Amino acid sequence: MRELCAAALPANAWNWIAVWRRNFLAWKKVALASILGNLADPMIYLFGLGFGLGVVVGRIDGAPYVAFLAGGMVATSAMTAATFETIYAAFARMHAQRTWEAILYTQLTLGDIVLGELAWAATKAFLAGTGITVVATLLGYAAWPSILYALPVIALTGLAFASLAMVITALAPSYDYFVFYQTLVLTPMLFLCGAVFPVAQLPNVFQLAAHFLPLAHAIDLIRPALLGRPAGDMGLHIGALCFYAVLPFFLSVALFRRRLMP
Amino acid sequence: MSTVAIDLAGVSKTYEGKVVVDGLSFRVAAGECFGLLGPNGAGKSTIARMVLGMTSPDAGEITVLGVPVPARARLARARIGVVPQFDNLDLEFTVRENLLVFGRYFGMSTREVEAIIPSLLEFARLESKAHARVSELSGGMKRRLTLARALINDPQLIVMDEPTTGLDPHARHLIWERLRSLLASGKTIILTTHFMEEAERLCDRLCVLENGRKIAEGHPHALIEEQIGCQVIEIYGGNPHELHSLISPYAQRTEVSGETLFCYAPDPERVRLQLRGHAGLRLLQRPPNLEDVFLRLTGREMEK
Ligand SMILES: Nc1ncnc2c1ncn2[C@@H]1O[C@H](COP(=O)(O)OP(=O)(O)O)[C@@H](O)[C@H]1O
Ligand SMILES: [Mg+2]
């Protein structure tokens, strides 16, 4: 049993890099379209909602609504980019394209592959989140240089959501099942975690629920950084995101083992 | 280094209550080409996957290149090249990029891979295609690229699952020729196939499988000699059962498969004589082959 675990877990600390580089090479061929695609959606929300609703809402906690929204959109874009990379692109590489199968015939383990895919998804999340941060900063809605604190959190947020999505990828028989994850998990999180309005507006039960959701922790770190304010409970938020990055990783590796090595 | 490349001892595998590999044992010596021959569903791919440590047997022991598998399969895989049953090349990459990316999985640096790419392309007869996208290659070219990719870690053992299935005869012959040159350079090959001709031409020894069980093992020609050992006459166009009683005194054995009567005859002339005057019959006389062995052992034909 111990040997079988060893067969599935990462073999060493660097094997995953080869997987990351494979995905990077593929991405380079379509980089421009990919960047625009990943940025357009959150940007539309940021400025559409920000300026449109901003007129009605006015200021929140002393900040213009666009500036308040920026932190939420940065975290959300990291969540979406990491999730989509994992449930669509990584699923294709695991399933239809048989890329993982080819890799498993080398000296890489399933753990190496999953780790490489997570790192890659986190990279794409980082690019998306950072892109929006830069635009918001250039337009004067985010504070320099405190946005620098947000950057590692964006990457960690990407890692946590990629890891969660990897469990879904391991379980889903086909693409059709991903819609449920999007509509039943991601979209509610958007409204429960304070991305577009403060969590304090929610009934108490929902406020309580928000404490357990990774997006809430990401926003609680990213928003203050963008607004140039000190963040509270940093250890708790970082710990929660790490928890969501690590635990689903091991779970997904176990599930993939059952699925791919019957 | 031991001279045994693969050792399977009493290996069984059950999927969903169905026995797919049943108490199988065989040994593959270093430097030989060993074939797993059997119809679809015989368990060939499952055996190949167990040799690679991709699937764990329910019972039995597997040793590959001196390493217990699946326990330490990673160690073994570092010295194995794999040609899987279904192509899994990266379609969005060029030929060269496919090799580059794959070499990195073995821990090779970009420079190390680039140094051997020319020789791999030459081996695969793909020199002019280095910068072509894989999606533009023909089936035969893809198969040769998969073979070149399998050689990137300079493996001692190459595992091939149906290496020429789906290829046209020309592409198939080119692969066979490449495999012979690998054997000449001292590599060990285990291949699965349901082509009798492929098994007969390439394999030093083979194991004939049916429903996960070994039904014969040996050198192809020795198997043919031992199981058949005489000329074969295929008789078409008559009622096989009537003809059977007519010629059985002169035949060592007969088999009926569909509309065809197979007659194994030490003295084919006497059978022909016996059938003279029967209008509408077509006779084909030929040396025995593995198809006859399979038919004899299982009562049915493999390819159809
Ligand atoms: N993962 C699996 N789950 C259930 N049954 C399987 C699985 N893999 C193979 N089988 C069954 O095992 C048998 C042997 O399959 P396989 O090894 O692919 O045969 P071959 O390669 O000789 O065609 C088949 O009946 C197939 O349906
Ligand atoms: Mg098969």
Side-chain angles (χ1 to χ4, degrees), chain B residues 254-298:
Chain B
T254 58
E255 298 270 2
V256 178
S257 178
E259 299 288 285
T260 315
L261 179 66
F262 291 82
C263 171
Y264 301 92
D267 187 354
E269 275 319 301
R270 303 208 34 195
V271 176
R272 286 175 172 277
L273 217 60
Q274 196 68 14
L275 293 172
R276 190 162 294 164
H278 281 262
L281 287 188
R282 274 195 306 119
L283 272 60
L284 172 73
Q285 187 179 330
R286 58 167 175 81
N289 60 31
L290 283 173
E291 183 72 55
D292 302 309
V293 174
F294 192 80
L295 182 61
R296 160 132 204 221
L297 293 172
T298 66

mmCIF file of all heavy atoms in Angstrom, chain B residues 254-298:
data_model
loop_
_atom_site.group_PDB
_atom_site.id
_atom_site.type_symbol
_atom_site.label_atom_id
_atom_site.label_comp_id
_atom_site.label_asym_id
_atom_site.label_seq_id
_atom_site.Cartn_x
_atom_site.Cartn_y
_atom_site.Cartn_z
ATOM 1 N N THR B 254 -9.288 -31.907 -40.191
ATOM 2 C CA THR B 254 -9.989 -30.845 -40.922
ATOM 3 C C THR B 254 -10.636 -29.928 -39.895
ATOM 4 O O THR B 254 -10.919 -30.340 -38.764
ATOM 5 C CB THR B 254 -11.097 -31.409 -41.845
ATOM 6 O OG1 THR B 254 -12.006 -32.132 -41.029
ATOM 7 C CG2 THR B 254 -10.531 -32.287 -42.929
ATOM 8 N N GLU B 255 -10.839 -28.682 -40.313
ATOM 9 C CA GLU B 255 -11.547 -27.723 -39.468
ATOM 10 C C GLU B 255 -12.532 -26.989 -40.366
ATOM 11 O O GLU B 255 -12.220 -26.681 -41.517
ATOM 12 C CB GLU B 255 -10.593 -26.670 -38.870
ATOM 13 C CG GLU B 255 -9.515 -27.211 -37.966
ATOM 14 C CD GLU B 255 -9.930 -27.290 -36.505
ATOM 15 O OE1 GLU B 255 -11.103 -26.954 -36.202
ATOM 16 O OE2 GLU B 255 -9.096 -27.702 -35.688
ATOM 17 N N VAL B 256 -13.683 -26.700 -39.844
ATOM 18 C CA VAL B 256 -14.648 -25.902 -40.587
ATOM 19 C C VAL B 256 -14.747 -24.542 -39.922
ATOM 20 O O VAL B 256 -14.885 -24.451 -38.703
ATOM 21 C CB VAL B 256 -16.045 -26.569 -40.589
ATOM 22 C CG1 VAL B 256 -17.043 -25.693 -41.334
ATOM 23 C CG2 VAL B 256 -15.957 -27.955 -41.198
ATOM 24 N N SER B 257 -14.624 -23.509 -40.744
ATOM 25 C CA SER B 257 -14.821 -22.171 -40.204
ATOM 26 C C SER B 257 -15.670 -21.406 -41.194
ATOM 27 O O SER B 257 -15.236 -21.126 -42.306
ATOM 28 C CB SER B 257 -13.472 -21.483 -39.985
ATOM 29 O OG SER B 257 -13.704 -20.174 -39.510
ATOM 30 N N GLY B 258 -16.887 -21.138 -40.832
ATOM 31 C CA GLY B 258 -17.818 -20.483 -41.746
ATOM 32 C C GLY B 258 -18.052 -21.373 -42.957
ATOM 33 O O GLY B 258 -18.391 -22.550 -42.820
ATOM 34 N N GLU B 259 -17.811 -20.826 -44.155
ATOM 35 C CA GLU B 259 -18.041 -21.556 -45.394
ATOM 36 C C GLU B 259 -16.781 -22.277 -45.856
ATOM 37 O O GLU B 259 -16.771 -22.891 -46.915
ATOM 38 C CB GLU B 259 -18.478 -20.564 -46.489
ATOM 39 C CG GLU B 259 -19.754 -19.829 -46.174
ATOM 40 C CD GLU B 259 -20.968 -20.728 -46.261
ATOM 41 O OE1 GLU B 259 -21.394 -21.055 -47.380
ATOM 42 O OE2 GLU B 259 -21.476 -21.132 -45.184
ATOM 43 N N THR B 260 -15.719 -22.127 -45.086
ATOM 44 C CA THR B 260 -14.430 -22.659 -45.543
ATOM 45 C C THR B 260 -14.096 -23.959 -44.821
ATOM 46 O O THR B 260 -14.302 -24.076 -43.607
ATOM 47 C CB THR B 260 -13.306 -21.640 -45.265
ATOM 48 O OG1 THR B 260 -13.754 -20.359 -45.655
ATOM 49 C CG2 THR B 260 -12.035 -22.008 -46.005
ATOM 50 N N LEU B 261 -13.569 -24.895 -45.597
ATOM 51 C CA LEU B 261 -13.069 -26.131 -44.995
ATOM 52 C C LEU B 261 -11.547 -26.092 -45.034
ATOM 53 O O LEU B 261 -10.947 -25.909 -46.096
ATOM 54 C CB LEU B 261 -13.594 -27.330 -45.777
ATOM 55 C CG LEU B 261 -13.132 -28.699 -45.276
ATOM 56 C CD1 LEU B 261 -13.698 -29.002 -43.900
ATOM 57 C CD2 LEU B 261 -13.554 -29.786 -46.268
ATOM 58 N N PHE B 262 -10.937 -26.217 -43.881
ATOM 59 C CA PHE B 262 -9.479 -26.271 -43.819
ATOM 60 C C PHE B 262 -9.067 -27.730 -43.718
ATOM 61 O O PHE B 262 -9.537 -28.441 -42.822
ATOM 62 C CB PHE B 262 -8.953 -25.518 -42.592
ATOM 63 C CG PHE B 262 -9.136 -24.039 -42.670
ATOM 64 C CD1 PHE B 262 -10.351 -23.463 -42.332
ATOM 65 C CD2 PHE B 262 -8.099 -23.218 -43.083
ATOM 66 C CE1 PHE B 262 -10.520 -22.081 -42.392
ATOM 67 C CE2 PHE B 262 -8.261 -21.846 -43.150
ATOM 68 C CZ PHE B 262 -9.487 -21.272 -42.804
ATOM 69 N N CYS B 263 -8.202 -28.138 -44.646
ATOM 70 C CA CYS B 263 -7.779 -29.531 -44.653
ATOM 71 C C CYS B 263 -6.271 -29.598 -44.434
ATOM 72 O O CYS B 263 -5.509 -29.014 -45.199
ATOM 73 C CB CYS B 263 -8.180 -30.147 -45.988
ATOM 74 S SG CYS B 263 -7.488 -31.776 -46.225
ATOM 75 N N TYR B 264 -5.860 -30.271 -43.383
ATOM 76 C CA TYR B 264 -4.433 -30.387 -43.088
ATOM 77 C C TYR B 264 -3.974 -31.733 -43.624
ATOM 78 O O TYR B 264 -4.376 -32.789 -43.105
ATOM 79 C CB TYR B 264 -4.200 -30.253 -41.589
ATOM 80 C CG TYR B 264 -4.703 -28.913 -41.091
ATOM 81 C CD1 TYR B 264 -5.995 -28.771 -40.600
ATOM 82 C CD2 TYR B 264 -3.889 -27.793 -41.176
ATOM 83 C CE1 TYR B 264 -6.481 -27.542 -40.204
ATOM 84 C CE2 TYR B 264 -4.372 -26.549 -40.777
ATOM 85 C CZ TYR B 264 -5.668 -26.429 -40.287
ATOM 86 O OH TYR B 264 -6.136 -25.211 -39.907
ATOM 87 N N ALA B 265 -3.175 -31.677 -44.675
ATOM 88 C CA ALA B 265 -2.911 -32.895 -45.434
ATOM 89 C C ALA B 265 -1.421 -33.147 -45.613
ATOM 90 O O ALA B 265 -0.746 -32.359 -46.270
ATOM 91 C CB ALA B 265 -3.588 -32.800 -46.791
ATOM 92 N N PRO B 266 -0.915 -34.244 -45.084
ATOM 93 C CA PRO B 266 0.484 -34.596 -45.319
ATOM 94 C C PRO B 266 0.725 -34.873 -46.809
ATOM 95 O O PRO B 266 1.811 -34.632 -47.311
ATOM 96 C CB PRO B 266 0.686 -35.871 -44.491
ATOM 97 C CG PRO B 266 -0.469 -35.926 -43.542
ATOM 98 C CD PRO B 266 -1.590 -35.199 -44.185
ATOM 99 N N ASP B 267 -0.305 -35.347 -47.501
ATOM 100 C CA ASP B 267 -0.166 -35.630 -48.941
ATOM 101 C C ASP B 267 -1.268 -34.894 -49.688
ATOM 102 O O ASP B 267 -2.324 -35.457 -49.987
ATOM 103 C CB ASP B 267 -0.264 -37.148 -49.163
ATOM 104 C CG ASP B 267 0.036 -37.503 -50.600
ATOM 105 O OD1 ASP B 267 0.197 -36.569 -51.430
ATOM 106 O OD2 ASP B 267 0.100 -38.710 -50.896
ATOM 107 N N PRO B 268 -1.049 -33.625 -49.992
ATOM 108 C CA PRO B 268 -2.123 -32.809 -50.578
ATOM 109 C C PRO B 268 -2.620 -33.343 -51.918
ATOM 110 O O PRO B 268 -3.795 -33.152 -52.252
ATOM 111 C CB PRO B 268 -1.477 -31.428 -50.763
ATOM 112 C CG PRO B 268 -0.126 -31.485 -50.140
ATOM 113 C CD PRO B 268 0.204 -32.884 -49.793
ATOM 114 N N GLU B 269 -1.744 -34.017 -52.684
ATOM 115 C CA GLU B 269 -2.146 -34.502 -54.014
ATOM 116 C C GLU B 269 -3.339 -35.458 -53.918
ATOM 117 O O GLU B 269 -4.252 -35.416 -54.736
ATOM 118 C CB GLU B 269 -0.962 -35.195 -54.715
ATOM 119 C CG GLU B 269 -0.057 -34.223 -55.459
ATOM 120 C CD GLU B 269 -0.845 -33.141 -56.196
ATOM 121 O OE1 GLU B 269 -1.673 -33.497 -57.057
ATOM 122 O OE2 GLU B 269 -0.644 -31.930 -55.892
ATOM 123 N N ARG B 270 -3.348 -36.284 -52.903
ATOM 124 C CA ARG B 270 -4.426 -37.269 -52.786
ATOM 125 C C ARG B 270 -5.747 -36.575 -52.479
ATOM 126 O O ARG B 270 -6.803 -37.029 -52.926
ATOM 127 C CB ARG B 270 -4.093 -38.274 -51.687
ATOM 128 C CG ARG B 270 -2.764 -38.918 -52.006
ATOM 129 C CD ARG B 270 -2.566 -40.298 -51.485
ATOM 130 N NE ARG B 270 -3.687 -41.184 -51.410
ATOM 131 C CZ ARG B 270 -3.621 -42.300 -50.689
ATOM 132 N NH1 ARG B 270 -2.533 -42.563 -49.991
ATOM 133 N NH2 ARG B 270 -4.635 -43.116 -50.668
ATOM 134 N N VAL B 271 -5.673 -35.507 -51.726
ATOM 135 C CA VAL B 271 -6.900 -34.757 -51.443
ATOM 136 C C VAL B 271 -7.427 -34.124 -52.724
ATOM 137 O O VAL B 271 -8.623 -34.185 -53.027
ATOM 138 C CB VAL B 271 -6.639 -33.679 -50.370
ATOM 139 C CG1 VAL B 271 -7.885 -32.825 -50.153
ATOM 140 C CG2 VAL B 271 -6.199 -34.334 -49.071
ATOM 141 N N ARG B 272 -6.528 -33.528 -53.483
ATOM 142 C CA ARG B 272 -6.918 -32.915 -54.753
ATOM 143 C C ARG B 272 -7.561 -33.948 -55.680
ATOM 144 O O ARG B 272 -8.583 -33.688 -56.311
ATOM 145 C CB ARG B 272 -5.695 -32.308 -55.449
ATOM 146 C CG ARG B 272 -5.214 -31.037 -54.798
ATOM 147 C CD ARG B 272 -3.920 -30.557 -55.455
ATOM 148 N NE ARG B 272 -3.574 -29.246 -54.939
ATOM 149 C CZ ARG B 272 -4.083 -28.117 -55.407
ATOM 150 N NH1 ARG B 272 -4.925 -28.151 -56.406
ATOM 151 N NH2 ARG B 272 -3.742 -26.968 -54.871
ATOM 152 N N LEU B 273 -6.945 -35.112 -55.711
ATOM 153 C CA LEU B 273 -7.449 -36.193 -56.541
ATOM 154 C C LEU B 273 -8.881 -36.546 -56.138
ATOM 155 O O LEU B 273 -9.767 -36.721 -56.971
ATOM 156 C CB LEU B 273 -6.538 -37.422 -56.346
ATOM 157 C CG LEU B 273 -6.258 -38.284 -57.569
ATOM 158 C CD1 LEU B 273 -5.579 -37.469 -58.660
ATOM 159 C CD2 LEU B 273 -5.365 -39.471 -57.165
ATOM 160 N N GLN B 274 -9.074 -36.595 -54.866
ATOM 161 C CA GLN B 274 -10.362 -36.970 -54.309
ATOM 162 C C GLN B 274 -11.452 -35.957 -54.667
ATOM 163 O O GLN B 274 -12.607 -36.314 -54.819
ATOM 164 C CB GLN B 274 -10.218 -37.044 -52.776
ATOM 165 C CG GLN B 274 -11.322 -37.769 -52.065
ATOM 166 C CD GLN B 274 -11.304 -39.264 -52.376
ATOM 167 O OE1 GLN B 274 -10.306 -39.783 -52.911
ATOM 168 N NE2 GLN B 274 -12.406 -39.946 -52.116
ATOM 169 N N LEU B 275 -11.028 -34.708 -54.797
ATOM 170 C CA LEU B 275 -12.011 -33.657 -55.038
ATOM 171 C C LEU B 275 -12.226 -33.394 -56.518
ATOM 172 O O LEU B 275 -13.071 -32.581 -56.884
ATOM 173 C CB LEU B 275 -11.578 -32.361 -54.342
ATOM 174 C CG LEU B 275 -11.595 -32.412 -52.811
ATOM 175 C CD1 LEU B 275 -10.976 -31.156 -52.228
ATOM 176 C CD2 LEU B 275 -13.024 -32.594 -52.290
ATOM 177 N N ARG B 276 -11.418 -34.029 -57.367
ATOM 178 C CA ARG B 276 -11.553 -33.804 -58.808
ATOM 179 C C ARG B 276 -12.960 -34.204 -59.244
ATOM 180 O O ARG B 276 -13.505 -35.186 -58.758
ATOM 181 C CB ARG B 276 -10.518 -34.643 -59.554
ATOM 182 C CG ARG B 276 -10.420 -34.286 -61.024
ATOM 183 C CD ARG B 276 -9.137 -34.801 -61.630
ATOM 184 N NE ARG B 276 -7.954 -34.135 -61.069
ATOM 185 C CZ ARG B 276 -6.725 -34.615 -61.212
ATOM 186 N NH1 ARG B 276 -6.509 -35.743 -61.833
ATOM 187 N NH2 ARG B 276 -5.711 -33.962 -60.712
ATOM 188 N N GLY B 277 -13.521 -33.430 -60.120
ATOM 189 C CA GLY B 277 -14.873 -33.755 -60.571
ATOM 190 C C GLY B 277 -15.963 -33.054 -59.780
ATOM 191 O O GLY B 277 -17.118 -33.040 -60.172
ATOM 192 N N HIS B 278 -15.598 -32.431 -58.666
ATOM 193 C CA HIS B 278 -16.598 -31.626 -57.949
ATOM 194 C C HIS B 278 -16.583 -30.215 -58.517
ATOM 195 O O HIS B 278 -15.636 -29.463 -58.296
ATOM 196 C CB HIS B 278 -16.264 -31.573 -56.457
ATOM 197 C CG HIS B 278 -16.680 -32.808 -55.748
ATOM 198 N ND1 HIS B 278 -17.845 -32.920 -55.045
ATOM 199 C CD2 HIS B 278 -16.070 -34.011 -55.663
ATOM 200 C CE1 HIS B 278 -17.950 -34.132 -54.554
ATOM 201 N NE2 HIS B 278 -16.875 -34.828 -54.908
ATOM 202 N N ALA B 279 -17.605 -29.894 -59.242
ATOM 203 C CA ALA B 279 -17.629 -28.593 -59.907
ATOM 204 C C ALA B 279 -17.815 -27.482 -58.863
ATOM 205 O O ALA B 279 -18.420 -27.697 -57.814
ATOM 206 C CB ALA B 279 -18.756 -28.542 -60.924
ATOM 207 N N GLY B 280 -17.280 -26.311 -59.180
ATOM 208 C CA GLY B 280 -17.554 -25.136 -58.351
ATOM 209 C C GLY B 280 -16.689 -25.020 -57.108
ATOM 210 O O GLY B 280 -16.896 -24.122 -56.307
ATOM 211 N N LEU B 281 -15.747 -25.914 -56.945
ATOM 212 C CA LEU B 281 -14.873 -25.806 -55.772
ATOM 213 C C LEU B 281 -13.643 -24.969 -56.101
ATOM 214 O O LEU B 281 -13.132 -25.021 -57.212
ATOM 215 C CB LEU B 281 -14.405 -27.194 -55.320
ATOM 216 C CG LEU B 281 -15.419 -28.092 -54.625
ATOM 217 C CD1 LEU B 281 -14.706 -29.320 -54.101
ATOM 218 C CD2 LEU B 281 -16.114 -27.348 -53.512
ATOM 219 N N ARG B 282 -13.222 -24.215 -55.134
ATOM 220 C CA ARG B 282 -11.948 -23.501 -55.288
ATOM 221 C C ARG B 282 -10.995 -24.003 -54.219
ATOM 222 O O ARG B 282 -11.369 -24.072 -53.040
ATOM 223 C CB ARG B 282 -12.142 -21.994 -55.151
ATOM 224 C CG ARG B 282 -12.522 -21.338 -56.462
ATOM 225 C CD ARG B 282 -12.347 -19.831 -56.393
ATOM 226 N NE ARG B 282 -13.057 -19.253 -55.263
ATOM 227 C CZ ARG B 282 -12.447 -18.591 -54.280
ATOM 228 N NH1 ARG B 282 -11.134 -18.424 -54.294
ATOM 229 N NH2 ARG B 282 -13.162 -18.086 -53.278
ATOM 230 N N LEU B 283 -9.794 -24.352 -54.639
ATOM 231 C CA LEU B 283 -8.811 -24.895 -53.703
ATOM 232 C C LEU B 283 -7.618 -23.963 -53.594
ATOM 233 O O LEU B 283 -7.117 -23.468 -54.597
ATOM 234 C CB LEU B 283 -8.316 -26.273 -54.172
ATOM 235 C CG LEU B 283 -9.137 -27.485 -53.714
ATOM 236 C CD1 LEU B 283 -10.569 -27.381 -54.211
ATOM 237 C CD2 LEU B 283 -8.473 -28.766 -54.179
ATOM 238 N N LEU B 284 -7.190 -23.733 -52.380
ATOM 239 C CA LEU B 284 -5.985 -22.927 -52.184
ATOM 240 C C LEU B 284 -5.029 -23.737 -51.316
ATOM 241 O O LEU B 284 -5.355 -24.044 -50.164
ATOM 242 C CB LEU B 284 -6.344 -21.605 -51.492
ATOM 243 C CG LEU B 284 -5.143 -20.762 -51.067
ATOM 244 C CD1 LEU B 284 -4.485 -20.127 -52.287
ATOM 245 C CD2 LEU B 284 -5.581 -19.686 -50.083
ATOM 246 N N GLN B 285 -3.904 -24.082 -51.906
ATOM 247 C CA GLN B 285 -2.926 -24.846 -51.130
ATOM 248 C C GLN B 285 -1.804 -23.927 -50.672
ATOM 249 O O GLN B 285 -1.306 -23.113 -51.435
ATOM 250 C CB GLN B 285 -2.354 -25.981 -51.967
ATOM 251 C CG GLN B 285 -1.459 -26.885 -51.125
ATOM 252 C CD GLN B 285 -0.904 -28.024 -51.946
ATOM 253 O OE1 GLN B 285 -1.530 -28.487 -52.904
ATOM 254 N NE2 GLN B 285 0.287 -28.483 -51.583
ATOM 255 N N ARG B 286 -1.434 -24.012 -49.401
ATOM 256 C CA ARG B 286 -0.409 -23.109 -48.867
ATOM 257 C C ARG B 286 0.286 -23.770 -47.684
ATOM 258 O O ARG B 286 -0.238 -24.746 -47.121
ATOM 259 C CB ARG B 286 -1.044 -21.797 -48.442
ATOM 260 C CG ARG B 286 -2.150 -21.994 -47.396
ATOM 261 C CD ARG B 286 -2.577 -20.707 -46.750
ATOM 262 N NE ARG B 286 -3.703 -20.901 -45.841
ATOM 263 C CZ ARG B 286 -3.599 -21.357 -44.595
ATOM 264 N NH1 ARG B 286 -2.412 -21.680 -44.099
ATOM 265 N NH2 ARG B 286 -4.667 -21.510 -43.840
ATOM 266 N N PRO B 287 1.457 -23.218 -47.292
ATOM 267 C CA PRO B 287 2.122 -23.720 -46.090
ATOM 268 C C PRO B 287 1.298 -23.325 -44.861
ATOM 269 O O PRO B 287 0.544 -22.355 -44.903
ATOM 270 C CB PRO B 287 3.482 -23.001 -46.063
ATOM 271 C CG PRO B 287 3.583 -22.258 -47.346
ATOM 272 C CD PRO B 287 2.225 -22.130 -47.927
ATOM 273 N N PRO B 288 1.425 -24.029 -43.766
ATOM 274 C CA PRO B 288 0.659 -23.688 -42.569
ATOM 275 C C PRO B 288 1.165 -22.388 -41.947
ATOM 276 O O PRO B 288 2.323 -22.014 -42.134
ATOM 277 C CB PRO B 288 0.915 -24.870 -41.637
ATOM 278 C CG PRO B 288 2.250 -25.389 -42.046
ATOM 279 C CD PRO B 288 2.335 -25.179 -43.539
ATOM 280 N N ASN B 289 0.304 -21.688 -41.222
ATOM 281 C CA ASN B 289 0.729 -20.461 -40.540
ATOM 282 C C ASN B 289 0.091 -20.388 -39.149
ATOM 283 O O ASN B 289 -0.598 -21.311 -38.717
ATOM 284 C CB ASN B 289 0.385 -19.233 -41.388
ATOM 285 C CG ASN B 289 -1.116 -19.128 -41.651
ATOM 286 O OD1 ASN B 289 -1.933 -19.548 -40.816
ATOM 287 N ND2 ASN B 289 -1.482 -18.594 -42.800
ATOM 288 N N LEU B 290 0.301 -19.260 -38.492
ATOM 289 C CA LEU B 290 -0.193 -19.125 -37.114
ATOM 290 C C LEU B 290 -1.714 -19.128 -37.035
ATOM 291 O O LEU B 290 -2.290 -19.525 -36.036
ATOM 292 C CB LEU B 290 0.349 -17.837 -36.479
ATOM 293 C CG LEU B 290 1.791 -17.889 -36.010
ATOM 294 C CD1 LEU B 290 2.245 -16.501 -35.564
ATOM 295 C CD2 LEU B 290 1.958 -18.880 -34.855
ATOM 296 N N GLU B 291 -2.331 -18.661 -38.128
ATOM 297 C CA GLU B 291 -3.796 -18.680 -38.157
ATOM 298 C C GLU B 291 -4.305 -20.106 -37.945
ATOM 299 O O GLU B 291 -5.268 -20.342 -37.214
ATOM 300 C CB GLU B 291 -4.274 -18.124 -39.498
ATOM 301 C CG GLU B 291 -5.787 -18.019 -39.663
ATOM 302 C CD GLU B 291 -6.394 -16.896 -38.835
ATOM 303 O OE1 GLU B 291 -5.942 -15.739 -38.978
ATOM 304 O OE2 GLU B 291 -7.293 -17.185 -38.036
ATOM 305 N N ASP B 292 -3.608 -21.064 -38.576
ATOM 306 C CA ASP B 292 -4.005 -22.470 -38.423
ATOM 307 C C ASP B 292 -3.803 -22.937 -36.985
ATOM 308 O O ASP B 292 -4.594 -23.710 -36.452
ATOM 309 C CB ASP B 292 -3.172 -23.350 -39.362
ATOM 310 C CG ASP B 292 -3.332 -22.928 -40.804
ATOM 311 O OD1 ASP B 292 -4.488 -22.795 -41.239
ATOM 312 O OD2 ASP B 292 -2.305 -22.683 -41.468
ATOM 313 N N VAL B 293 -2.715 -22.442 -36.385
ATOM 314 C CA VAL B 293 -2.448 -22.812 -34.992
ATOM 315 C C VAL B 293 -3.585 -22.320 -34.108
ATOM 316 O O VAL B 293 -4.131 -23.061 -33.290
ATOM 317 C CB VAL B 293 -1.101 -22.225 -34.510
ATOM 318 C CG1 VAL B 293 -0.901 -22.496 -33.026
ATOM 319 C CG2 VAL B 293 0.050 -22.775 -35.339
ATOM 320 N N PHE B 294 -3.964 -21.058 -34.327
ATOM 321 C CA PHE B 294 -5.024 -20.490 -33.506
ATOM 322 C C PHE B 294 -6.340 -21.231 -33.727
ATOM 323 O O PHE B 294 -7.053 -21.566 -32.786
ATOM 324 C CB PHE B 294 -5.187 -18.995 -33.824
ATOM 325 C CG PHE B 294 -6.048 -18.288 -32.824
ATOM 326 C CD1 PHE B 294 -5.542 -17.884 -31.608
ATOM 327 C CD2 PHE B 294 -7.395 -18.056 -33.096
ATOM 328 C CE1 PHE B 294 -6.348 -17.257 -30.675
ATOM 329 C CE2 PHE B 294 -8.199 -17.424 -32.168
ATOM 330 C CZ PHE B 294 -7.670 -17.024 -30.961
ATOM 331 N N LEU B 295 -6.623 -21.516 -34.976
ATOM 332 C CA LEU B 295 -7.849 -22.235 -35.307
ATOM 333 C C LEU B 295 -7.843 -23.607 -34.635
ATOM 334 O O LEU B 295 -8.845 -24.050 -34.074
ATOM 335 C CB LEU B 295 -7.943 -22.373 -36.833
ATOM 336 C CG LEU B 295 -9.187 -23.050 -37.384
ATOM 337 C CD1 LEU B 295 -10.430 -22.273 -37.011
ATOM 338 C CD2 LEU B 295 -9.094 -23.172 -38.902
ATOM 339 N N ARG B 296 -6.711 -24.262 -34.671
ATOM 340 C CA ARG B 296 -6.627 -25.595 -34.078
ATOM 341 C C ARG B 296 -6.831 -25.523 -32.556
ATOM 342 O O ARG B 296 -7.529 -26.347 -31.977
ATOM 343 C CB ARG B 296 -5.251 -26.186 -34.395
ATOM 344 C CG ARG B 296 -4.875 -27.310 -33.457
ATOM 345 C CD ARG B 296 -4.362 -28.515 -34.178
ATOM 346 N NE ARG B 296 -4.532 -29.712 -33.384
ATOM 347 C CZ ARG B 296 -3.616 -30.660 -33.293
ATOM 348 N NH1 ARG B 296 -2.479 -30.526 -33.965
ATOM 349 N NH2 ARG B 296 -3.844 -31.725 -32.568
ATOM 350 N N LEU B 297 -6.216 -24.507 -31.936
ATOM 351 C CA LEU B 297 -6.265 -24.456 -30.473
ATOM 352 C C LEU B 297 -7.597 -23.948 -29.936
ATOM 353 O O LEU B 297 -7.996 -24.282 -28.831
ATOM 354 C CB LEU B 297 -5.140 -23.566 -29.944
ATOM 355 C CG LEU B 297 -3.722 -24.111 -30.164
ATOM 356 C CD1 LEU B 297 -2.696 -23.064 -29.777
ATOM 357 C CD2 LEU B 297 -3.513 -25.388 -29.361
ATOM 358 N N THR B 298 -8.269 -23.109 -30.726
ATOM 359 C CA THR B 298 -9.487 -22.480 -30.190
ATOM 360 C C THR B 298 -10.746 -22.887 -30.947
ATOM 361 O O THR B 298 -11.852 -22.622 -30.476
ATOM 362 C CB THR B 298 -9.408 -20.948 -30.275
ATOM 363 O OG1 THR B 298 -9.400 -20.590 -31.654
ATOM 364 C CG2 THR B 298 -8.170 -20.414 -29.591
#
